[in-house]
Amino acid sequence: MSKFTARFAARWAAFAFAAAIAVVAVAPASASAYAGPGPVRGAFILTVSAGEKPYQGKPVVLICPPNAATSHPNPVQACAAIAKAGGDFDRLPIDPAVLCPFIYDPVTATADGRWGKKAVHWTKTFGNSCLLYAETNPVF
C-alpha cells in the first residue's frame, strides 16, 4: 500500500469514527447559536497543507450543526458560511477587505465529506495563506 493510499484510508477511518460519534451525540454543543438555514446537516474533514500536495496537513473535523465530535476552532461561523454557500466551497464568500501580498508560497486546502445528501470532495491550491484566508475564512 502506498503512502498516499494509507494516508487516505486513515483519513476516511477518522471521518467514519467522527460521523459515528456525531450520530451518538445527544445534542449539538452550540445548536442555539447555529445560524445556518434549514435542517441541512454536514460533516467534513478539512486540511490545509503547505505546498501544492493535498492531504499533508493535520485534519480537522467539522460537523454541522456543531456537536462534541467537532474539532474545528470556529464551527458555528464555519457551518454558517458553508450553509450560505449551499455546501459549495467554491462559493464561499470572499472578503474584499483583505489585501494580500504578491508572494508565491502555495497552500492547498481540502474538504471531504457530505453536505446534506451530496458528497463533497474539494481541493484547491492558493498562491499563499493570505489568499486562502481571504477566500475561505472562517472555514479554513
Side-chain angles (χ1 to χ4, degrees):
M1 186 179 325
S2 72
K3 283 184 182 179
F4 178 76
T5 305
R7 204 171 314 133
F8 187 75
R11 290 184 74 238
W12 278 104
F15 179 71
F17 177 73
I21 290 174
V23 170
V24 173
V26 177
S30 305
S32 61
Y34 178 66
V40 176
R41 299 201 182 279
F44 302 98
I45 294 179
L46 309 172
T47 62
V48 176
S49 309
E52 297 180 11
K53 291 184 180 181
Y55 305 113
Q56 302 294 315
K58 181 181 175 185
V60 173
V61 175
L62 175 63
I63 309 282
C64 299
N67 65 24
T70 298
S71 63
H72 192 282
N74 197 0
V76 174
Q77 289 80 4
C79 289
I82 295 169
K84 188 173 181 180
D88 183 351
F89 282 70
D90 288 322
R91 292 182 50 213
L92 289 171
I94 296 173
D95 187 348
V98 176
L99 299 174
C100 295
F102 291 107
I103 297 171
Y104 188 68
D105 187 15
V107 293
T108 301
T110 63
D112 292 298
R114 297 196 71 73
W115 182 254
K117 295 181 181 180
K118 183 178 104 177
V120 175
H121 303 288
W122 179 85
T123 301
K124 186 172 180 180
T125 299
F126 297 86
N128 58 46
S129 59
C130 179
L131 292 170
L132 168 70
Y133 175 84
E135 294 183 32
T136 64
N137 184 52
V139 178
F140 290 95

